[in-house]
Each structure stands twice: as C-alpha cells, then as structure tokens.
Amino acid sequence: MATLADVRRIALSLPGAQELNDHGGNWFNVGTKTFVLYGFPSKRWLFKLPKPRQELLFEARPDVFQPYRAGAMLWSYVDIEALAKDEVESLVTDAWTTIVPKKVWSTYLAARG
C-alpha cells in the first residue's frame, strides 16, 4: 500500500520537481505545471498520465482508476492505497514525463537504466 510519503519521495527525486501546498492539498509540480496532486478538488489523488496509459487503466482497473476532466484536460483519479509502491513509482514517473520536455525525461530515464 502506497502513501503520501511514498509519492513525495518519488516525485521529489525527479529533476525539477517541487511540492506546493495549495487549496489545502499537496501539488507536485515542475515550474507551473502539475503532474500529481492530492486534495483538490476532493480528497483524492489526481495524476496527469499519458492518454494511452489512462485509457488502458480506466478499462482494466476501474476500481482504482477513474477519469477526471478539467476543461480539455483528462486527469486520472487514482486510489494509491490499492497499489504497490513500485506501481505508484511508475505512475508518478509517467505523470512527470507528460509535463517535462522529452530531452529531460529521456536523459533521466536513460541514466536510471
């Protein structure tokens, strides 16, 4: 079972990531772009995942992943308590890759092996 502490550790290990407290929640950003947040608009986790992965997860595991539309953007509600820590690490990293330039994430992922 994953927790806020797990998400925080993973997110803040990514290049350029920072944690902000806004609207009573925890927002993980790079610059002004958010990739994971908790607590806004509800006490739930929201992840900005790549669209193909979102669609797969919504269909395969609707008990854990649900869509959340904010204007033209599609986010994913994620029940992180239902996930293992390695699954959450993969999701946080995927969310981060959606907001940083390819040059940044490809260099980072290549260095990790």
Side-chain angles (χ1 to χ4, degrees), residues 15-55:
Q18 61 184 346
E19 182 178 6
L20 305 171
N21 292 307
D22 196 14
H23 300 289
N26 302 79
W27 299 56
F28 297 92
N29 288 17
V30 174
T32 60
K33 295 182 179 183
T34 303
F35 61 101
V36 175
L37 65 99
Y38 175 77
F40 180 82
S42 64
K43 294 294 182 191
R44 296 175 73 180
W45 284 96
L46 283 168
F47 283 65
K48 182 64 181 149
L49 298 172
K51 189 171 182 168
R53 187 163 188 195
Q54 285 179 315
E55 293 170 354

Side-chain angles (χ1 to χ4, degrees), residues 15 30 33 96-109:
V30 174
K33 295 182 179 183
W96 173 77
T97 67
T98 66
I99 66 158
V100 297
K102 182 178 181 178
K103 178 180 172 183
V104 173
W105 64 257
S106 62
T107 302
Y108 173 77
L109 294 178

Side-chain angles (χ1 to χ4, degrees), residues 56-69:
L56 176 72
L57 293 171
F58 295 154
E59 187 174 323
R61 297 177 73 186
D63 56 319
V64 179
F65 301 94
Q66 295 92 38
Y68 172 75
R69 194 164 294 282

